[in-house]
Structures are given as C-alpha cells and as structure tokens.
Amino acid sequence: MEDYRNEIQKKLLPVMDTMELLSGRWRIIIMTALYLGGKMRFNEIKRNIPKITGRVLSMDLKYLEENKIVSRTVKDTAPITVEYELTAYGITLDSVFEALADWGNKHRKKIIGK
Amino acid sequence: MEDYRNEIQKKLLPVMDTMELLSGRWRIIIMTALYLGGKMRFNEIKRNIPKITGRVLSMDLKYLEENKIVSRTVKDTAPITVEYELTAYGITLDSVFEALADWGNKHRKKIIGK
C-alpha cells in the first residue's frame, strides 16, 4: 500500500510542476492564442481573447517571458512596436493546447447537443 | 485580417471552456490523482497530494462533483466511508492528464539536466 501511494505521488510530481507554471485560467489561453496566431502585438492578443483585462494580460505575459515560454521583441519603428511570440520551448506545449482544445470541443458538443 | 482574428477566437473558445472548468492549480492535480489511483477516500487523496490543504481539497471535490467530473459514494459501513472517483466523463480528460505529465517530465529533465 505504501509503495502504491509513492507510485502515485511520483507520477503526480511532473503534473504539479506543469501546473505550477501554467496555473490560472488565462496563461494557457494566452499561450494558445500565440500558438494559433504566431507573432502578435499586445493589442492583437487582447482583441483575440474575449474578456481578458489589459492588467492581467500584461502581468501574465511578463510571467511567461520570465519563464522562457514567451519572447518579447522591441522593434525600432516609429512608434516603437513590441511583439510577443511563443519560444521554441513554449511550442513544446503544443500537445497540451491540442488536448485542451479537443476536450473543449467534445464538451461543447455534449452541452449544446442536449 | 478580420477573418484571421475570428478564426483564432473560434479556436480559442473550446480551450476557454475547458479552462473555465479546470482552472486553478489543484483541480487538475486532484483529477490526475484519481486517474492514477482509482477510487479513493478523502484522506487517501490528501496524503497523495503534497501541500494541498483539507479545505481546498474539500471545495474542489465538491466543485468537480457538481460538474459531473467526480462521483462521491457513501458506503454504509461503521464508521461511514466516503469514496471519490472519476466519472466516465472525467476519464475522457485522460489525454489532458497525459499531455501535462509528458511535458512536466521533459521540463524536469531540462531543469535538472542543466
């Protein structure tokens, strides 16, 4: 019984790590928007995500940048342009985005289908 | 440009639905524990999830029960036993649990490997 519990805990640890990084509703949604849309400016991301506030988007982009999931490029245009995109490391989360989208699609059909 | 944005929004909606249901770090971890361990009592779940408080576990189990992701069975033993398990519907999230675990394993290797 003790070994069995340890086995569960051992398998839970990587999921806990992932959720440590991704927890909060918006972070995964912001990443998925960048995954679908590629390089985008702040206001483009904001327009694509219904109901997100500028404050939350700004904080989460900063967090994702610090964690090497998103990169931020400042272009020397007039006025200055700031663009965000997923890093190669952020793109490795694609199977998570796909799994969430697949399940969400089935869930919608279940809810709407009734 | 307008169509392109609408396409992103359309694809984001199912992800937003899923995150509406699953957001918060602990819910996905509780579901993954039940996915790995099968039917469990409250204290068994709690022992398997490092650092979770009884209050959070209790609130999240209630939420997951209301959303038909987890079922709760009261057994007429002495003392009474209450068991929790994923419903058939909850089990359909397996690809999400697997994707998070896979990514977490790679992330651990990346962090520890350096």
Side-chain angles (χ1 to χ4, degrees):
Chain A
M1 190 60 180
E2 205 51 50
D3 282 330
Y4 168 71
R5 266 212 301 280
N6 289 344
E7 196 55 31
I8 294 177
Q9 280 197 9
K10 217 172 78 187
K11 286 187 180 164
L12 263 188
L13 283 178
V15 177
M16 294 183 74
D17 284 353
T18 312
M19 292 315 293
E20 172 89 33
L21 202 62
L22 309 183
S23 69
R25 186 193 308 176
W26 295 112
R27 282 179 199 161
I28 284 181
I29 293 168
I30 295 163
M31 287 183 267
T32 310
L34 290 169
Y35 174 67
L36 294 169
K39 203 178 278 186
M40 284 196 273
R41 277 171 294 136
F42 186 89
N43 281 326
E44 279 181 278
I45 307 173
K46 192 167 178 303
R47 265 200 305 273
N48 274 300
I49 304 179
K51 294 183 198 163
I52 198 168
T53 64
R55 187 171 165 275
V56 166
L57 180 55
S58 169
M59 275 171 32
D60 278 350
L61 280 171
K62 197 163 176 238
Y63 175 89
L64 292 170
E65 201 193 333
E66 284 166 0
N67 283 280
K68 318 279 186 207
I69 303 279
V70 165
S71 67
R72 180 175 174 275
T73 314
V74 181
K75 289 170 86 176
D76 191 13
T77 48
I80 278 174
T81 322
V82 183
E83 286 180 333
Y84 297 88
E85 69 182 321
L86 282 187
T87 60
Y89 185 50
I91 291 171
T92 65
L93 280 158
D94 58 350
S95 56
V96 173
F97 309 144
E98 303 281 0
L100 289 168
D102 281 355
W103 193 82
N105 276 317
K106 282 181 212 145
H107 181 64
R108 289 213 134 203
K109 277 185 200 134
K110 191 183 152 105
I111 300 290
I112 298 166
K114 271 188 183 164
Chain B
M1 190 60 179
E2 207 50 52
D3 282 330
Y4 167 70
R5 267 213 301 278
N6 289 343
E7 195 55 32
I8 295 178
Q9 279 195 10
K10 218 173 76 186
K11 285 187 181 165
L12 263 187
L13 284 177
V15 178
M16 293 182 74
D17 284 353
T18 312
M19 292 315 293
E20 172 88 32
L21 200 64
L22 309 184
S23 68
R25 185 192 311 176
W26 295 112
R27 282 179 198 160
I28 285 182
I29 293 169
I30 295 164
M31 286 183 269
T32 309
L34 289 169
Y35 173 67
L36 293 169
K39 202 176 280 184
M40 283 195 275
R41 278 169 295 137
F42 186 89
N43 281 328
E44 278 181 280
I45 306 174
K46 190 165 180 303
R47 265 199 304 270
N48 274 300
I49 305 179
K51 294 185 197 161
I52 197 168
T53 64
R55 187 171 165 273
V56 165
L57 180 56
S58 169
M59 274 172 34
D60 278 349
L61 280 171
K62 198 163 177 235
Y63 174 90
L64 293 170
E65 200 191 333
E66 282 165 3
N67 284 280
K68 320 277 186 208
I69 303 278
V70 164
S71 67
R72 180 174 174 276
T73 314
V74 180
K75 289 171 84 177
D76 191 14
T77 47
I80 278 174
T81 321
V82 183
E83 287 180 330
Y84 297 88
E85 68 182 322
L86 283 186
T87 60
Y89 185 49
I91 291 171
T92 64
L93 280 157
D94 56 352
S95 56
V96 173
F97 308 144
E98 303 280 0
L100 289 169
D102 280 355
W103 193 82
N105 274 318
K106 283 181 210 143
H107 181 65
R108 290 213 133 204
K109 275 182 202 136
K110 191 183 152 103
I111 301 290
I112 297 167
K114 273 184 182 167

